[in-house]
Amino acid sequence: MKKRILPALLALILALGVLSPALAKGMVPDGAYWKELTWDEGAAFVEQLKTDSNASAILFLYSHNCTYSQTWIPQFREYAEAHQIPLFGLDDTLYPGETSEHSSIEFGTTISGGSPVALLYHGDGREAVGSVRSMEAFEAVLNRTAQTSGDFVLNQENRLLRYLGGGGDVVIPDGVLSIDPAAFEGCDTVRSLVVPEGVTELEARVFQGCGNLEEITLPSTVTKLGPGLFSANQTLRRVNMGASGITELPPRCLSNNYALKELILPHGLVSIGDWAINNTALPELVIPASVTTLGKNALGQNYKLQTLRFLGHKPQMATGEDDSLARSRGAAIYPADDPTWGSVETLLAEHPSLNWGGLPGQITPLPARSELDDGTLADWAADEVALAASYELTAPADRQSYGQPITRVNFSQLMMRVVEKVTKQTVRELWNSDKGDVPPFSDVSNIYTFAAAKLGLVSGRGDGCFDPEGAITRQEAAVMLARTAQYLGAAGAGAQQDFADRGDVAPWALESVDLVSGLTTPEGRAVMGSTGSGFSPLATYSNQEAQCSFLRLYQAVTVLDS
């Protein structure tokens, strides 16, 4: 490297003239090979590079106020002198104006201040940019192993060194195996991030510099997170780590995220560390059945929490001053059939800030989306469809063609599974031909449909026919859901929604639409709500809509009952 760039660099130094010792320089002294530039000298230096297509140089832009710069710039200088490698440094806090942000314009990087940034110049422009916080990264820059791939700077080990793009919705490219802690430093324009398959670990503070990050999705290959990874991000609204292989949330991983509204935890999660999900805006949180330990204040100070739902055995939780749930609000719901939870009185004594209550139902781990999705499941329905499966409200045959209209026979089956769960009576007990029950329809032989008809929850199309494969409109679904809610004791619960197309609802369905739009889960989800443009009474009802509605009905009725 010395033989290739030394003559050009010496010529550039001479072209700049004697570097003025009277002007303010950076925090390290000049040497035989390390040259500190003033702001004007740096600008002239870059302009001179542009005039010589054979010239190349490496400039380190840094801030003497930054701890990383204080640590690494002296070491870089020492290396340059020891190995006789000409390098240049420029402290951008020396900019003569009010702010050093002009370095973004003058030197072709979005960084101003902060960590050392390596700028590799040659005759026709800037070759690559990367934050440098280690000797390994420094040597990679010297050896020019960093390559620019679109908006990303990678080294030979497929480590993402720096993001250079304009922000927005960012998808990190396939092939990246690790991410440098400084890769997104100061990237305030990034709104959402998708981390690719292959990345196994996210180090501490990787995303702390993303001042406007709202959403991030982690892949299945990520198994380890650094402490404080997402902490103190004022704009982060959604974190999806459901597909990841993470088993431990480290301390303060998601603490002090005041905008966080949605968090999907991995199904194999075992422990949630001290203050890991502390002081957020989460309205609800589902704790996977695999979780066995909650650390000190692990879920504390979540003042906007409406529902905390545990899917498995009671985890080990801190109590007293270190209460894992300290000062969090809302309803804490757990499987009532699980003896590990003990009594409500004990739970209230140990964790007094929450309202405790058990939901009936078997303890079943929340299935992964890959186990449920045939490629047709909508993102908005995925979590509720998985939860419906965990409560055994759906059968394997239901887990397909989610966007297609649900048939009348499948709707009656979903309906009766909810009735079975709530009443603790089997469908055979509710309808039994051996006890004289007579099939009410001639075109179907489904015991669930027969039981639903016997209870007055469904009716036929006339002439003794049920039309089992027929589709259902939204107003028809509302009527059958309302009948089920009334049978289970939820008549008159909630306040109706005011739909813009209320006038399009048939008179015979109005009362039912009012009931199911006013009956809500603890999280505030209506059993049936708006489609975005109104109630849409004549639109067909899909499989995924029906599964979500019956899950919400089950949640609403069982919580009311408890």
Side-chain angles (χ1 to χ4, degrees), residues 18 69 132 166 171 209 308 312 330 366 375 404 419-420 440 446 465 508 516 554 559:
V18 179
S69 292
V132 185
V171 179
L308 177 63
L366 197 67
Q404 294 298 309
V419 172
E420 284 183 308
N446 187 292
C465 295
W508 50 265
V516 296
Y554 174 68
V559 170

Side-chain angles (χ1 to χ4, degrees), residues 528-562:
M528 283 188 76
S530 172
T531 62
S533 59
F535 187 76
S536 305
L538 299 181
T540 55
Y541 214 42
S542 67
N543 284 300
Q544 57 194 2
E545 287 176 310
Q547 292 183 30
C548 292
S549 283
F550 278 113
L551 169 70
R552 296 173 190 180
L553 177 60
Y554 174 68
Q555 293 173 324
V557 169
T558 48
V559 170
L560 285 172
D561 181 62
S562 63

Side-chain angles (χ1 to χ4, degrees), residues 370-426:
S370 59
E371 300 174 40
L372 303 170
D373 193 357
D374 65 346
T376 64
L377 180 59
D379 289 340
W380 65 263
D383 292 342
E384 289 185 288
V385 166
L387 198 54
S390 77
Y391 284 137
E392 298 182 343
L393 301 181
T394 58
D398 299 319
R399 298 163 193 171
Q400 58 184 328
S401 305
Y402 289 100
Q404 294 298 309
I406 190 168
T407 63
R408 287 167 55 82
V409 67
N410 287 346
F411 195 89
S412 66
Q413 289 179 162
L414 286 174
M415 172 188 294
M416 290 311 299
R417 290 197 190 99
V418 172
V419 172
E420 284 183 308
K421 286 284 186 182
V422 176
T423 65
K424 299 188 183 299
Q425 289 181 286
T426 67

Side-chain angles (χ1 to χ4, degrees), residues 262-277:
E262 184 177 0
L263 172 62
I264 302 174
L265 295 173
H267 306 305
L269 186 65
V270 175
S271 66
I272 300 177
D274 297 345
W275 293 279
I277 311 175

Side-chain angles (χ1 to χ4, degrees), residues 60-81:
F60 285 89
L61 185 68
Y62 68 91
S63 167
H64 69 259
N65 295 322
C66 173
T67 302
Y68 293 112
S69 292
Q70 294 168 6
T71 299
W72 293 111
I73 288 297
Q75 295 187 47
F76 298 164
R77 179 195 180 281
E78 181 179 349
Y79 188 102
E81 295 298 316

Side-chain angles (χ1 to χ4, degrees), residues 23-277:
L23 295 175
K25 295 292 185 72
M27 64 182 181
V28 295
D30 283 341
Y33 292 90
W34 180 278
K35 293 297 179 182
E36 281 287 319
L37 305 179
T38 65
W39 189 266
D40 291 339
E41 289 170 350
F45 172 75
V46 173
E47 288 301 316
Q48 183 65 31
L49 277 168
K50 294 178 181 179
T51 66
D52 186 351
S53 61
N54 295 317
S56 62
I58 301 175
L59 169 66
F60 285 89
L61 185 68
Y62 68 91
S63 167
H64 69 259
N65 295 322
C66 173
T67 302
Y68 293 112
S69 292
Q70 294 168 6
T71 299
W72 293 111
I73 288 297
Q75 295 187 47
F76 298 164
R77 179 195 180 281
E78 181 179 349
Y79 188 102
E81 295 298 316
H83 293 81
Q84 300 182 5
I85 300 174
L87 298 174
F88 294 83
L90 192 153
D91 183 350
D92 80 346
T93 57
L94 300 180
Y95 178 70
E98 296 179 358
T99 172
S100 63
E101 291 178 358
H102 290 73
S103 59
S104 304
I105 302 171
E106 299 291 340
F107 298 103
T109 173
T110 56
I111 293 295
S112 61
S115 300
V117 177
L119 309 183
L120 282 65
Y121 292 97
H122 46 70
D124 56 355
R126 177 170 53 89
E127 179 178 327
V129 178
S131 295
V132 185
R133 289 184 176 180
S134 67
M135 291 305 299
E136 177 188 17
F138 173 74
E139 291 177 357
V141 170
L142 298 186
N143 294 323
R144 294 179 182 254
T145 57
Q147 304 177 36
T148 302
S149 174
D151 293 336
F152 304 90
V153 179
L154 314 176
N155 67 11
Q156 288 180 330
E157 288 75 38
N158 287 326
R159 182 175 178 83
L160 175 57
L161 300 178
R162 185 68 190 161
Y163 170 69
L164 306 175
D169 299 318
V170 177
V171 179
I172 298 174
D174 293 337
V176 171
L177 300 179
S178 62
I179 302 175
D180 189 88
F184 288 93
E185 184 179 21
C187 296
D188 289 341
T189 57
V190 175
R191 192 197 71 83
S192 70
L193 269 171
V194 176
V195 179
E197 294 288 333
V199 175
T200 58
E201 179 180 355
L202 295 174
E203 301 174 37
R205 299 181 297 278
V206 165
F207 304 117
Q208 279 190 335
C210 299
N212 289 297
L213 182 65
E214 296 180 15
E215 182 175 344
I216 187 163
T217 302
L218 305 186
S220 62
T221 51
V222 169
T223 58
K224 186 176 180 181
L225 304 179
L229 179 62
F230 302 108
S231 66
N233 189 307
Q234 304 305 310
T235 59
L236 191 62
R237 298 175 60 85
R238 185 176 192 268
V239 176
N240 184 353
M241 56 180 73
S244 72
I246 297 164
T247 59
E248 177 185 357
L249 280 189
R252 303 187 186 278
C253 179
L254 286 151
S255 65
N256 298 322
N257 282 299
Y258 306 119
L260 187 64
K261 294 293 183 67
E262 184 177 0
L263 172 62
I264 302 174
L265 295 173
H267 306 305
L269 186 65
V270 175
S271 66
I272 300 177
D274 297 345
W275 293 279
I277 311 175

